[in-house]
């Protein structure tokens, strides 16, 4: 009879099918069901059952510094009474191949998702749960022929690009995808758009502000707060009382906030930085500019998530797998393990009302999980119950977050930040003693400057520019779409092939709108509903 609140340990050949206390979140019955569904279940009972293989792959990622044999011995360390086999490294490699990728991916998709309750501190802006897109491409793979063919070489190594959607308040994974770095971040992020819901506010960095991606994101019902690239031109359609202004990117009405932040550090260093944010929260009374500027910094929680995953968990190591299928299986297992640890951490802090999840130490949870696996400790309770891992997290809560800053430094020579100009920040992490935010008024002149909400005029300084002539033609008949061929004929000094490129650039900048292949018009004026 198993005492209430305990999970019965597997016996015999199945005894190594455990993750210590983390097994409470991934019981054997769930693993068996996934194996059955995805064809990874063994056809006959072996000394190394498929269920044990799933837990072995997860334990392999919990102990990335040791080989297969030592990982198995950690799983079996407290199970000597079952006279378990001592498999060779080849037998364990064969076990990984037998399981395949699909069951591990399915397990990851089952455990990922938002973790915070509505009352959890630091996870919401009003009724919106804050989430973030971000990518990481500095995950190195073994330099094998198969990996080079599948992922290419970057700085001498095959590399993998990881894209995740994260709940910023808890740093929990909502969704993940990965593949060769040759695909851009936005392409990978599109694969996760189906996970967005209307109660989410999406934070993103520069690089996600393309018109099409913005339109696809808002089509999910989610709201957006993100940075704009410095070369984007945003028409000023209406100036708002809080210093922001209404604009349009492609077909989407947005609000633009330009701000300057001045930081004073404990070592007397002072520097300024500029932000230009866009948001689909267009009502300045409900969402003041200063509040949104402060909220945007929650996006950096995503960087902390990647630090825990890449450096604390993986310790910056090259992955083990020398073939693409193994890489995929190993990455899904690593992401699964990361989410299990986050779940235990959030579970623990929510037993203390008012405790922000960012005070839970990931290193503490990771080391406790490793210890509990070696002890083969039965998992006590389930979600909402304090475990040994949770107790250790609560006993070593980090102090409340203090604002700190330092210049960005990356030791790896394969990433774009390896060389960075001095931006005035201190060389080492330094506490911030004072921070001021100033919302900058919109520029007096923009590529479009409003006279009314519906009428736009061009600056007159250079009337001979071709882009101004194109927009002038469109303004002359704003109710119809102009074809590239017709515009080329009107201009008389540009081929149809060349004007396609110029029209595409103008559309990317939000100055004109593409209505169908080869047809363009001015951006639609704001409707009454779009004006706060």
């Amino acid at each position: 009879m198993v005492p209430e609140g305990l999970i019965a340990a597997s016996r015999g050949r199945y005894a190594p099918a455990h993750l210590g206390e983390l097994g409470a979140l991934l019981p054997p019955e769930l693993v068996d069901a996934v194996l059955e569904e995805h064809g990874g279940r063994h056809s006959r009972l072996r000394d190394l059952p498929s269920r044990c293989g799933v837990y072995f792959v997860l334990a392999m990622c919990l102990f990335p510094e040791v080989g297969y044999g030592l990982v198995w011995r950690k799983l079996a360390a407290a199970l000597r009474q079952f006279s378990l086999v001592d498999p060779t490294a080849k037998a364990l490699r064969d076990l990984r191949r037998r399981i395949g990728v699909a069951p591990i991916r399915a397990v990851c998709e089952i455990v990922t998702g938002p973790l915070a309750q509505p009352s959890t501190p630091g996870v919401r802006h009003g009724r919106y749960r804050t989430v973030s897109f971000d990518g990481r491409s500095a995950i190195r793979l073994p330099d094998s022929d198969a990996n080079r063919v599948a992922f290419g070489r970057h700085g001498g190594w095959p590399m993998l690009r990881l894209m995740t959607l994260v709940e910023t308040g808890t740093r929990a994974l909502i969704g993940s995808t990965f593949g060769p770095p040759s695909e851009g971040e936005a392409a990978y992020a599109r694969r996760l758009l189906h996970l967005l819901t209307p109660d989410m506010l999406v934070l993103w960095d520069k690089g996600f502000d393309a018109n099409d991606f913005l339109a696809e994101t808002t089509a999910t019902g989610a709201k957006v707060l993100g940075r704009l690239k410095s070369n984007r031109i945003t028409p000023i359609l209406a100036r708002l009382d809080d210093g922001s202004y209404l604009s349009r990117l492609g077909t989407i009405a947005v609000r633009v906030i330009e701000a300057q932040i001045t930081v004073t550090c404990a070592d007397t260093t002072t520097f300024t930085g500029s932000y230009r944010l866009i948001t689909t929260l267009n009502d300045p009374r409900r969402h003041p500019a200063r509040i949104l500027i402060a909220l945007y910094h929650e996006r950096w929680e995503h960087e902390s998530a990647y630090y825990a995953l890449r450096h604390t968990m993986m310790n910056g190591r090259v992955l083990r797998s020398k073939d693409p299928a193994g890489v995929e299986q190993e990455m899904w297992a690593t992401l699964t393990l990361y989410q299990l640890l986050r779940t235990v951490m959030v579970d623990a802090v929510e037993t203390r009302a008012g405790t922000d999840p960012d005070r839970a130490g990931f290193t503490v949870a990771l080391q406790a999980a490793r210890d509990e696996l070696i002890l083969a400790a039965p998992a006590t309770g389930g979600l909402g119950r304090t475990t040994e891992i949770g107790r250790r997290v609560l006993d070593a809560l980090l102090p409340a977050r203090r604002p700190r800053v330092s210049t960005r430094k990356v030791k790896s020579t394969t990433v774009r930040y390896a060389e960075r100009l001095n931006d005035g920040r201190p060389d080492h992490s330094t506490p911030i003693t004072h921070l001021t935010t100033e919302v900058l008024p919109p520029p007096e002149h923009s590529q479009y400057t409003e006279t009314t909400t519906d009428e736009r005029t061009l600056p007159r300084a250079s009337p001979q520019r071709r882009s101004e002539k194109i927009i002038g033609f469109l303004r002359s008949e704003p109710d119809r779409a102009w074809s590239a061929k017709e515009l080329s004929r009107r201009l008389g000094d540009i081929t149809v092939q060349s004007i396609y490129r110029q029209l595409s650039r103008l559309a990317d900048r939000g100055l004109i709108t593409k209505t169908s292949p080869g047809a363009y018009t001015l951006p639609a004026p704001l409707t009454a509903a779009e004006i706060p």
Side-chain angles (χ1 to χ4, degrees):
M1 189 75 178
V2 180
E4 186 178 357
L6 292 182
I7 291 179
S10 303
R11 296 181 178 278
R13 292 171 177 169
Y14 287 100
H18 72 89
L19 274 180
E21 283 193 347
L22 292 181
L25 305 173
L26 197 63
E29 296 80 9
L30 172 60
V31 172
D32 287 345
V34 168
L35 287 168
E36 192 73 43
E37 181 180 355
H38 293 277
R41 190 172 176 83
H42 50 260
S43 56
R44 59 184 175 84
L45 185 58
R46 306 164 181 258
D47 286 333
L48 295 176
S50 296
R51 182 200 296 174
C52 293
V54 171
Y55 288 99
F56 169 77
V57 171
L58 293 168
M60 180 186 79
C61 299
L62 193 58
F63 297 95
E65 73 278 11
V66 300
Y68 287 170
L70 281 176
V71 173
W72 180 264
R73 292 184 187 104
K74 291 178 185 296
L75 280 171
L79 304 171
R80 293 187 179 89
Q81 71 271 29
F82 296 115
S83 302
L84 301 175
V85 296
D86 188 14
T88 63
K90 180 182 182 305
L92 293 168
R93 281 196 298 272
D94 291 342
L95 178 61
R96 284 190 64 189
R97 293 191 182 98
R98 171 158 40 99
I99 295 166
V101 175
I104 306 298
R105 177 173 183 168
V107 167
C108 185
E109 290 173 347
I110 289 169
V111 302
T112 53
L115 297 178
Q117 300 299 319
S119 59
T120 304
V123 300
R124 306 187 78 86
H125 169 67
R127 67 185 185 90
Y128 298 105
R129 183 191 303 268
T130 57
V131 301
S132 170
F133 278 122
D134 201 8
R136 180 58 52 93
S137 59
I139 299 176
R140 293 189 293 183
L141 312 176
D143 192 15
S144 65
D145 292 339
N147 284 344
R148 284 196 295 273
V149 170
F151 298 97
R153 294 182 71 177
H154 306 268
W157 289 88
M159 289 278 191
L160 176 146
R161 184 188 295 281
L162 172 65
M163 172 60 60
T164 56
L165 177 64
V166 161
E167 181 181 48
T168 58
T170 63
R171 305 171 196 166
L173 297 177
I174 299 174
S176 310
T177 187
F178 51 84
S182 53
E183 284 193 64
E185 287 190 337
Y188 282 109
R190 278 187 171 90
R191 302 178 189 177
L192 304 176
L193 288 177
H194 67 283
L195 298 171
L196 297 178
T197 56
D199 69 335
M200 290 181 177
L201 173 61
V202 186
L203 312 178
W204 65 45
D205 201 0
K206 293 183 293 186
F208 292 95
D209 63 344
N211 294 351
D212 290 346
F213 187 74
L214 175 63
E216 291 171 42
T217 302
T218 56
T220 68
K223 299 298 184 181
V224 168
L225 174 63
R227 283 184 74 181
L228 274 179
K229 291 179 181 176
S230 59
N231 61 351
R232 292 298 302 265
I233 296 178
T234 49
I236 302 173
L237 304 184
R239 299 171 188 266
L240 303 175
D241 292 341
D242 67 345
S244 61
Y245 60 91
L246 295 181
S247 186
R248 189 181 291 278
L249 291 184
T251 61
I252 306 300
V254 297
R255 182 166 148 230
V256 181
I257 303 169
E258 301 191 24
Q260 180 172 282
I261 299 175
T262 303
V263 176
T264 303
C265 300
D267 64 356
T268 70
T269 301
T270 300
F271 67 93
T272 60
S274 297
Y275 280 82
R276 188 161 59 126
L277 305 177
I278 58 145
T279 182
T280 53
L281 299 172
N282 288 341
D283 188 344
R285 293 178 294 276
R286 297 181 63 186
H287 310 285
R290 290 183 183 277
I291 298 297
L292 294 183
I293 293 167
L295 178 67
Y296 177 73
H297 288 271
E298 286 293 308
R299 195 200 70 78
W300 284 98
E301 298 293 346
H302 206 139
E303 301 290 342
S304 297
Y306 275 136
Y307 189 91
L309 177 68
R310 180 75 183 100
H311 295 281
T312 307
M313 242 181 78
M314 300 171 65
N315 202 16
R317 286 182 169 82
V318 178
L319 295 187
R320 300 172 188 260
S321 306
K322 296 182 180 180
D323 62 90
V327 167
E328 191 173 351
Q329 184 194 63
E330 188 175 351
M331 275 305 302
W332 288 122
T334 301
L335 295 168
T336 300
L337 189 62
Y338 171 89
Q339 182 72 359
L340 294 179
L341 288 165
R342 284 292 179 199
T343 303
V344 173
M345 293 164 65
V346 174
D347 246 8
V349 297
E350 286 186 343
T351 64
R352 292 190 181 177
T355 304
D356 196 309
D358 65 15
R359 293 187 59 196
F362 190 85
T363 301
V364 174
L366 174 64
Q367 295 303 320
R370 287 162 62 110
D371 293 344
E372 295 301 298
L373 180 138
I374 294 170
L375 294 172
T380 55
L383 293 179
R385 295 283 298 277
T386 302
T387 63
E388 178 61 26
I389 301 173
R391 277 192 287 272
R392 293 204 207 175
V393 168
L394 292 176
D395 288 344
L397 286 176
L398 302 172
R401 182 72 61 84
R402 293 181 300 161
R404 303 175 71 85
V405 70
S406 68
T407 190
R408 187 165 189 172
K409 293 181 180 179
V410 178
K411 294 180 181 178
S412 173
T413 58
T414 61
V415 296
R416 59 191 170 126
Y417 297 111
E419 293 183 9
R420 192 174 179 91
L421 296 175
N422 181 17
D423 58 1
R425 305 184 203 183
D427 290 336
H428 303 285
S429 184
T430 307
I432 294 173
T433 56
H434 190 63
L435 186 148
T436 58
T437 301
E438 179 185 4
V439 179
L440 302 177
E444 290 299 321
H445 298 286
S446 175
Q447 189 70 27
Y448 285 124
T449 302
E450 84 285 5
T451 55
T452 70
T453 308
D454 299 325
E455 181 183 353
R456 308 181 185 99
T457 58
L458 284 167
R460 305 180 183 278
S462 50
Q464 300 305 312
R465 291 178 58 185
R466 187 182 293 128
S467 61
E468 295 179 358
K469 290 181 181 179
I470 291 171
I471 294 172
F473 292 140
L474 268 58
R475 287 187 63 244
S476 67
E477 296 184 57
D479 295 330
R480 75 178 182 94
W482 291 66
S483 70
K485 184 180 294 186
E486 186 175 8
L487 289 169
S488 172
R489 189 166 55 247
R490 287 286 189 99
L491 290 168
D493 63 347
I494 187 171
T495 65
V496 175
Q497 209 170 28
S498 297
I499 200 171
Y500 270 120
R501 291 194 293 270
Q502 179 147 14
L503 291 171
S504 179
R505 287 194 295 269
L506 291 173
D508 286 343
R509 292 162 60 187
L511 300 179
I512 63 177
T513 297
K514 187 175 183 179
T515 58
S516 62
Y520 296 84
T521 187
L522 286 178
L526 294 177
T527 65
E530 291 173 328
I531 302 174

